[in-house]
Structures are given as structure tokens and as C-alpha cells.
Amino acid sequence: MSIDPETLQGLPKRIGVYIFHGQGSLPIYIGKSVDIRSRVLAHLRAENESEMMAQTQRVEVIETAGEIGALLLESQLIKQKNPLYNIRLRRIRNLCSLQLKNENGFLTPEVVTGKDLGLGQVEGLYGLFSSVHSAQNKLRELADPYRLCLGLLGLEKISARGCFGLQLKTCLGACARLESRSEHDARLLEALDALKVHAWPYAGPIDLVEQQGDWVQRHRIQNWRYVGTWCSKSTDYPVNVQKSFDLDTYKILVKPIMMGSLPFEFLPHS
Ligand SMILES: [Zn+2]
């Protein structure tokens, strides 16, 4: 063990990000916890982390006023520093999503991709995927419990007798007019509902406010993009942290923002 007991005792039992440094200039691991000291102790006790802990010479701590701040900071730092012992976060260059095309009242899912998807800004997108293939796999996966027609979903050919799934009784038969297309499409919408990609619900940026006593941090968010954190303890002002839509940031923010579980303030937008 390379961390001395004194250092351990000095770690705060508070929320924030901790960074393990080894000999080199880059951190070897970055994590976040609501109780930094206990979490670091848990790393020391974990048998499968003994190699990492043996290399750790110094623990750097950045406390935050709340959990969102810790999650945003951790995610940013891991992407910037790419520490050896963090699971590699693959930068996804081209996110794909599913969009429902309405043709003559019939809904057909299409895989859409590319920079001008308007991710986080337009409604009617479902799921975020790293490839066309994984988007199609998700559709296949959903088709089964909802008894959807792979033919109508554009994943298989439909013959004169309907799709192959009809013979296997996995498809309820919208392809052979055994049920109406609208019944089929209603189940499709139901199946996709949990994957809905929320459009940014405000006209401009907001500040999510986290507070501990008189310590205040405001995380500025616009179109799901993390702009920066203003901190009452620091003279650093928000910088343009993220220039485009980021999947991890969206995942951190979507629940608290859609459920309104954190106090926030609207900002005048230009
Ligand atoms: Zn079918």
C-alpha cells in the first residue's frame, strides 16, 4: 500500500471527485463518491484493485457542492485524462438514433445518423446507439415481447403470405392484415417509449444549483451540453466545456432535469 494512514485520515468524508496519481504525470484512476474517504478505503480493501492501489502515490481530491457536480466533473476528467484503470470510455463519433417516419399514417422506424441529427433538440428520436447495427439490434430485441412485425419494421422481407415471424407466431400479423396497422403501430410506440431522447425542454440555458451551507455551485447547461460550473469558492467562471452533444452528459442530466428534482434558474438568452 502506497498511501500512508495520515493521508487517508485527511481525506474528507464528503462528496466529490478523487484522483489517484502514480509516478507519471497522468492520473491512473478517477472516481466520484458521496463519501470520499470511505470510497478510497474500499478501493484499498478490494483484492482485485491491489495492483492499482500499489501504484497510487498520491490522492487528489476535488470536493463538489453536490452529486451532479461530481458526476459532471468525473465524466469530463476521465475523457480528458484517460486514466489507465478507468474503463475506457469509447468516444462515439457518430451517434445513431431511431426516428419514426410517418408514411400515409403508417409508422416506420428508420435509423438516422450524422452530426445534423439535432440530438437533444428535436422530438421523435428514440435510443442513442453507437452504430446502425446496434440500433437495428435494439429494434429486433423489442419486436419480440411486443409481437411486432420485423417486415414492417424494415428488418426483413415480407412475402405474399406475410413475414417469417408470422409462421413462428412472433408477429401478430399486421403484415398479412390479421391485425390493423394502427394496432401494430400503437405497440411500436409503446415499445419505443422508454428509449425516447428528450429534446432540451427550455428556450435557453439553465443553471442547476447545488448548495452546501453557504457554498454554491451552478452548473450551466444548454441543449444538454455542459457549459461550465460557477463556484462561489472560486474565481473561475464558466468556460465552454462541451461543444457538442455528449451521451454521458445526457445520461447524467436527463433524469434530474426532466423530473425537475434539482433547483434551477433560467438565464436570459441572447
Ligand atoms: Zn409480420
Side-chain angles (χ1 to χ4, degrees):
M1 185 197 306
S2 294
I3 310 176
D4 57 84
E6 211 171 305
T7 306
L8 273 177
Q9 279 312 306
L11 293 174
K13 290 186 76 66
R14 282 193 294 271
I15 193 164
V17 169
Y18 56 91
I19 304 168
F20 292 158
H21 292 275
Q23 295 221 303
S25 57
L26 285 174
I28 60 171
Y29 185 81
I30 296 171
K32 80 111 202 151
S33 177
V34 293
D35 178 344
I36 291 172
R37 193 195 299 166
S38 304
R39 187 69 193 93
V40 172
L41 278 169
H43 279 296
L44 282 166
R45 283 191 219 104
E47 269 172 41
N48 58 352
E49 294 181 354
S50 57
E51 185 191 301
M52 172 174 89
M53 296 319 288
Q55 287 180 42
T56 300
Q57 312 233 326
R58 186 166 66 83
V59 185
E60 183 188 349
V61 167
I62 307 170
E63 286 187 44
T64 58
E67 187 156 24
I68 295 294
L71 286 165
L72 289 171
L73 181 61
E74 179 197 32
S75 161
Q76 284 311 307
L77 287 174
I78 291 175
K79 287 211 171 89
Q80 277 168 19
K81 313 274 186 190
N82 213 2
L84 182 62
Y85 288 100
N86 283 91
I87 297 163
R88 298 284 146 142
L89 295 177
R90 197 156 55 95
R91 271 180 196 275
I92 301 169
R93 297 260 168 238
N94 268 315
L95 278 173
C96 301
S97 190
L98 292 164
Q99 190 168 39
L100 290 176
K101 300 275 167 191
N102 190 328
E103 283 158 18
N104 310 318
F106 297 159
L107 299 179
T108 310
E110 273 189 14
V111 181
V112 286
T113 182
K115 286 205 168 63
D116 24 80
L117 258 185
L119 273 180
Q121 292 176 64
V122 299
E123 296 284 2
L125 293 175
Y126 299 90
L128 292 165
F129 309 95
S130 57
S131 67
V132 175
H133 186 70
S134 62
Q136 288 174 337
N137 275 351
K138 187 70 194 181
L139 261 185
R140 272 177 204 282
E141 204 180 282
L142 289 170
D144 195 36
Y146 287 90
R147 303 190 71 186
L148 300 171
C149 176
L150 292 179
L152 297 179
L153 295 180
L155 297 169
E156 277 179 17
K157 290 226 154 58
I158 304 176
S159 77
R161 289 187 303 153
C163 72
F164 185 54
L166 187 57
Q167 297 169 41
L168 302 174
K169 305 243 189 301
T170 53
C171 164
L172 276 185
C175 52
R177 296 174 194 273
L178 296 174
E179 70 163 345
S180 75
R181 182 66 188 257
S182 58
E183 281 173 281
H184 175 273
D185 290 355
R187 289 201 310 283
L188 172 61
L189 276 174
E190 205 186 320
L192 289 175
D193 191 59
L195 299 178
K196 189 172 156 52
V197 181
H198 293 273
W200 179 245
Y202 305 109
I206 62 165
D207 274 358
L208 289 176
V209 185
E210 290 186 309
Q211 189 157 9
Q212 246 188 66
D214 56 3
W215 178 21
V216 183
Q217 286 190 323
R218 295 162 186 274
H219 314 295
R220 185 154 304 172
I221 314 293
Q222 181 164 26
N223 292 341
W224 300 113
R225 205 165 49 83
Y226 173 42
V227 180
T229 293
W230 177 89
C231 176
S232 64
K233 280 185 180 178
S234 153
T235 50
D236 284 340
Y237 290 104
V239 288
N240 206 10
V241 177
Q242 283 176 350
K243 302 200 171 32
S244 56
F245 185 92
D246 173 74
L247 182 56
D248 299 305
T249 306
Y250 174 80
K251 285 180 178 166
I252 292 169
L253 296 170
V254 67
K255 258 198 193 152
I257 286 183
M258 295 314 291
M259 292 169 67
S261 56
L262 270 183
F264 65 89
E265 286 166 16
F266 290 107
L267 295 157
H269 58 282
S270 45

